[in-house]
Amino acid sequence: VCDPVVTQGQVPAGNVINGIPWKELWRFQMPQRPQTVVAGDFDTGRPGDEFAVIRDSSNTEAPEDDDPTRIVIYKQNSPTGDGTSWEQHFARNFSARWEFANAANWDNAGGDEIVLIDNEDGKIEVYQPDQAFRRIVEVGGSYNKYALLSQYV
């Protein structure tokens, strides 16, 4: 997790791109390579946005579950979060291979929802992370994901 435009504090030597200072806030190792990362306000009780990582699932995380895709949401672990410390907020495995994700306040209430698209199986689903990852929309069929998103998000 990086601060792309440092406005306070020290900037590590060499951390300037096109005259803009940046610094690394937090680094962690994942069991699988991330495929998609999306940020949104998934926990309205914490300052700032959270981020969701979509990646392959790992047998060590859920040995009884053979679903291929895992979504993990991370949130700051301090109510006054400065971006330097994060914890897992929620995780769930899916049978779908989500290839694209976006965050939006679909229902105009509470936190943001996560919009997930599986091009191979031709579906879009919308989930509410702040409601135990409840699915609120499911659309199937052949479509162009960008046209679909412009209509729904």
Side-chain angles (χ1 to χ4, degrees), residues 1-151:
V1 176
C2 293
D3 181 348
V5 182
V6 178
T7 58
Q8 298 176 356
Q10 296 293 327
V11 176
N15 286 16
V16 177
I17 298 175
N18 294 328
I20 300 171
W22 66 274
K23 70 178 174 181
E24 182 179 287
L25 299 175
W26 185 62
R27 177 185 296 256
F28 70 109
Q29 193 69 31
M30 283 188 260
Q32 302 290 338
R33 182 180 172 273
Q35 299 163 350
T36 302
V37 177
V38 62
D41 189 6
F42 305 127
D43 181 353
T44 58
R46 294 286 171 103
D49 283 350
E50 292 71 44
F51 65 96
V53 176
I54 300 173
R55 59 175 173 74
D56 288 342
S57 62
S58 165
N59 287 342
T60 60
E61 295 167 310
E64 72 288 346
D65 189 348
D66 62 353
D67 287 338
T69 304
R70 186 166 182 86
I71 297 179
V72 181
I73 296 176
Y74 295 91
K75 66 180 179 180
Q76 296 189 66
N77 64 5
S78 166
T80 59
D82 62 2
T84 60
S85 186
W86 297 76
E87 64 188 0
Q88 183 174 303
H89 176 55
F90 187 86
R92 178 176 168 187
N93 287 1
F94 287 88
S95 59
R97 291 232 177 246
W98 303 117
E99 299 159 314
F100 182 82
N102 200 354
N105 196 331
W106 186 284
D107 63 356
N108 293 318
D112 288 345
E113 284 73 42
I114 294 182
V115 181
L116 301 169
I117 294 179
D118 179 341
N119 280 328
E120 188 173 315
D121 288 341
K123 65 181 170 181
I124 180 172
E125 295 182 4
V126 179
Y127 290 86
Q128 291 178 310
D130 62 351
Q131 299 296 318
F133 231 82
R134 179 174 67 101
R135 182 175 58 208
I136 60 171
V137 174
E138 181 177 13
V139 179
S142 180
Y143 55 82
N144 175 295
K145 68 181 174 188
Y146 300 107
L148 187 64
L149 281 174
S150 69
Q151 180 179 6

